[in-house]
Amino acid sequence: MTTTEEPTDPRDSLHGGLPDRYLTPEDLVTMFSLPSVETVYQWRRKRIGPTGFRVGRYLRFNPAAVRAWEAERTALDDAA
């Protein structure tokens, strides 16, 4: 006899693998010790920073995308 396990919290089925919290530009400033939030916006304009997306007027970053971007940058620096 097989049983299917129901999620204990109904919100678990809604997340579908999404992070608990998306990062803000201020989070990136703190993580990477950047001079200001303007640096994050410059990266976005130049398309050299981690991929972000807009939620209304707010800019957000997926933590997995930021980690992937950081790993890529680290690998490039190690190769140089």
Side-chain angles (χ1 to χ4, degrees):
M1 180 169 140
T2 61
T3 60
T4 58
E5 292 185 23
E6 298 278 329
T8 56
D9 186 350
R11 292 175 293 176
D12 290 344
S13 62
L14 296 177
H15 279 275
L18 295 176
D20 290 335
R21 179 177 167 285
Y22 288 102
L23 301 173
T24 65
E26 291 81 7
D27 292 330
L28 268 62
V29 169
T30 302
M31 288 173 65
F32 298 114
S33 301
L34 301 173
S36 72
V37 176
E38 184 58 33
T39 302
V40 177
Y41 289 106
Q42 286 177 8
W43 285 355
R44 185 165 167 81
R45 282 192 296 275
K46 294 177 182 179
R47 297 177 188 265
I48 60 172
T51 304
F53 61 95
R54 290 255 175 220
V55 178
R57 67 181 189 159
Y58 301 103
L59 181 59
R60 296 293 181 258
F61 298 89
N62 186 327
V66 173
R67 281 191 297 273
W69 175 81
E70 179 184 23
E72 179 184 327
R73 298 292 299 181
T74 303
L76 288 173
D77 288 345
D78 289 346

